[in-house]
Amino acid sequence: MARTLYELAGADPDRRFSPFCWRTRFALAHKRLDAEGTPWRFTEKDKLAFSGQGLVPVLVDGNETITDSWRIAEWLEAKHPTPTLLNSAAFTRFINAWADTVLHPALARLIVKDIHDCLAPADQAYFRTTREARFGASLEAVQATRDAELPAFRKLFGPVRAVLATQPWLGGAAPDYTDYILLGSLQWARCTSPFRLFAEDDAVFAWRARGFALFGGMATEAVGYPA
Amino acid sequence: MARTLYELAGADPDRRFSPFCWRTRFALAHKRLDAEGTPWRFTEKDKLAFSGQGLVPVLVDGNETITDSWRIAEWLEAKHPTPTLLNSAAFTRFINAWADTVLHPALARLIVKDIHDCLAPADQAYFRTTREARFGASLEAVQATRDAELPAFRKLFGPVRAVLATQPWLGGAAPDYTDYILLGSLQWARCTSPFRLFAEDDAVFAWRARGFALFGGMATEAVGYPA
């Protein structure tokens, strides 16, 4: 059965950098499912009209169209129960909301100009307008303070480190969607920016390296920068 | 078998306000265990010397002395396996670290002068000196901006709300230590400060009310303010 995943792409159509699309990429790989990736750009809303909304990821699986990364994860779990993706639904949901509302706003400030520079020209204009309105400052001004903001960014991962001190993955002995959510966020950065987020002696650094190496180095081999 | 819990107290020895002691209080109640509470004050380090350290909670259970709220929770779980307290160890550990490193620093700023005013005179001097050094400002100055800081404080609970949108407790269908950690933090505020933390239409408000009503209204009936 044909399976297609619409993924946000940069000027280079192989630069697939959306953290939400990476959540789905990891979830598909976890379930050992293939999906053809179709590049999509911010300004191509018409290409997603069939899905009834304008955001990626969109997964088309045979006759079914599923949108929103969380709903896709639940759909995959229901349709392909093993291996389990959502072992602790409350924890995973908490991390999902934490990534969206805490981690992403902080991380975006560190890489927003770099993201812009990866985009196709039409997307650059769209991105600059919408993000500068959101931040109330130019992309250049936001990113200019990233060295000063890095310690606070790293501190956000304190509770993650507390978990990794006692088990190798947030999911336990093996990774699950809880890991993939945060790996997707960090892959968003790796795909778009050369900025180094973590010190090499940080447990998060080692966990990220193990996560990016999963599934034959799926994340490491994607178009991007060294992590 | 005699069981004693050393608990931080205010000038009124019945005002037991430590968030860490409340974690243990809830954990004991969850296990249907009684413990005599012994009031302890910040400046009475000598009273805890037998435990080999100077912080509460300290639980003395027969011949055993256990310190640190997390270690007490694990000890209780091992010694009294049912009902389960730690259903999802990773989630609970994440929340424990999140409360300690994110929630408490933000919440302390809203109530720190009120806490001071509840303390016995010797503790007031100790508290003012140590906390003013930590904040780099007078207790009065820190708390003076709490109305402006309240929206950001409430926003911290976004990921908690995401979980409560799909289940009644962080622990699932029933409360567990994940809930008790955060209820302990909010009981810290209720015991010391009349400041209203949540709007009545907030899901966190309703969850807190249900949590404080557990175990015969254990938290609600403790010395403090209306929540």
Side-chain angles (χ1 to χ4, degrees), chain A residues 99-171:
Chain A
D100 294 352
T101 63
V102 178
L103 181 57
H104 286 188
L107 180 50
R109 297 183 56 84
L110 311 183
I111 60 172
V112 70
K113 174 59 165 56
D114 294 337
I115 296 172
H116 168 273
D117 293 347
C118 293
L119 301 177
D123 273 22
Q124 286 189 336
Y126 164 85
F127 187 83
R128 181 177 288 279
T129 303
T130 54
R131 270 53 177 181
E132 293 190 344
R134 186 181 300 172
F135 288 112
S138 74
L139 303 183
E140 289 76 6
V142 172
Q143 191 173 295
T145 54
R146 66 182 175 183
D147 288 325
E149 293 178 24
L150 189 58
F153 172 80
R154 290 178 173 177
K155 201 173 167 198
L156 289 178
F157 283 81
V160 175
R161 291 183 194 100
V163 177
L164 294 178
T166 63
Q167 56 188 51
W169 302 96
L170 299 178

Side-chain angles (χ1 to χ4, degrees), chain A residues 88-91 93-95 97-98 101-102 155-156 158-160 162-163 166-167 169-172 182, chain B residues 88-91 93-95 97-98 101-102 155-156 158-160 162-163 166-167 169-172 182:
Chain A
S88 171
F91 185 30
R93 197 178 283 276
F94 186 98
I95 290 293
W98 182 76
T101 63
V102 178
K155 201 173 167 198
L156 289 178
V160 175
V163 177
T166 63
Q167 56 188 51
W169 302 96
L170 299 178
L182 299 188
Chain B
S88 170
F91 185 31
R93 197 177 283 275
F94 186 98
I95 290 292
W98 181 77
T101 63
V102 178
K155 202 174 166 198
L156 289 178
V160 174
V163 176
T166 64
Q167 57 190 50
W169 302 95
L170 299 178
L182 298 188

